[in-house]
Amino acid sequence: MSDLKVAISSPIDDNLYSLLVSQLCIDEEGVSVCGIISLKVFSIKRIRSEYKRLGHSLFVKIMNRLSTNIYKKNSTAQEKHLLISKVGLSEKSIKDISNKYKIPYLKVDNPNNHDAVKFLKNQNPDLILSIGSNIIRKQFLEIPTIGVLNVHMGILPEYRGIGVTEWPIIENRVHDIGLGITLHFMDSGVDPG
């Protein structure tokens, strides 16, 4: 039986979650990472798209990103460091991982653009792991033979979009619905569950 061919779509080149998932896939017997795409952080096209999606909260997101360093000396950073060590992750970017393991890599403005779709089609994946990204369009979703898996940081379908961990708290629904994440196959709807 041949390996499961997996492609990875990462929101940014140094996203810790993407790095860990990539390394775990590389290390998993029976899985072959056939390609990785990553979004450009500061392209005009991406900033416009994110502003359209997030509005003024985009600026808060940028400021938080600029002020956060996963290697700061605090308990959260120490926990992340332990996880990094446990997984055996030594690379600090998706590009470094792709270079080390000779995995085809492409940096794009948007995962739905022509270059990204063409690149992924050429890799012929069975499965794409979408790790935090733009809204994925039909042409992207149709590439893999199995589908596109996404982790949504809230409980679907009740909490779609952004602010999904905050809204159950704000609405005082933590006791009846809880906080959680959803692993789901993506379709043309937005966070359908």
Side-chain angles (χ1 to χ4, degrees), residues 14 22-23 50 75 93 117 122 124 126 161 170 184:
D14 65 347
S22 297
Q23 188 65 55
E50 290 292 304
S75 62
S93 75
V117 170
N122 287 339
N124 194 30
D126 299 311
I170 292 167
H184 65 108

Side-chain angles (χ1 to χ4, degrees), residues 28-172:
E28 184 67 31
E29 189 174 325
V31 173
S32 171
V33 179
C34 62
I36 302 173
I37 64 170
S38 176
L39 298 181
K40 295 177 184 175
V41 176
F42 289 112
S43 74
I44 298 298
K45 203 175 205 179
R46 180 162 185 210
I47 291 170
R48 274 192 209 132
S49 169
E50 290 292 304
Y51 183 76
K52 189 175 182 180
R53 186 171 70 89
L54 298 173
H56 294 297
S57 63
L58 171 64
F59 300 111
V60 173
K61 183 178 178 181
I62 290 170
M63 294 308 296
N64 287 338
R65 174 75 179 130
L66 292 174
S67 67
T68 301
N69 181 343
I70 66 170
Y71 299 104
K72 285 183 181 174
K73 299 290 183 202
N74 62 39
S75 62
T76 304
Q78 290 169 352
E79 290 168 7
K80 289 179 182 178
H81 184 69
L82 287 173
L83 183 57
I84 289 167
S85 297
K86 184 178 180 179
V87 171
L89 180 64
S90 59
E91 292 70 34
K92 294 189 179 179
S93 75
I94 293 294
K95 185 168 177 65
D96 290 345
I97 285 179
S98 66
N99 287 337
K100 179 178 180 179
Y101 295 100
K102 297 178 179 34
I103 299 168
Y105 171 83
L106 182 67
K107 202 165 205 173
V108 296
D109 291 323
N110 184 311
N112 299 300
N113 77 20
H114 174 74
D115 292 338
V117 170
K118 182 178 175 186
F119 172 82
L120 288 170
K121 279 183 180 178
N122 287 339
Q123 305 320 311
N124 194 30
D126 299 311
L127 182 69
I128 296 176
L129 301 178
S130 176
I131 303 168
S133 188
N134 300 34
I135 293 171
I136 302 298
R137 304 286 179 223
K138 184 178 178 183
Q139 62 183 4
F140 184 104
L141 295 170
E142 292 176 342
I143 295 169
T145 54
I146 296 173
V148 179
L149 269 177
N150 179 56
V151 173
H152 178 76
M153 299 311 290
I155 297 174
L156 291 176
E158 287 83 359
Y159 293 100
R160 303 175 185 199
I162 60 175
V164 295
T165 54
E166 293 86 352
W167 279 110
I169 296 167
I170 292 167
E171 295 175 343
N172 198 23

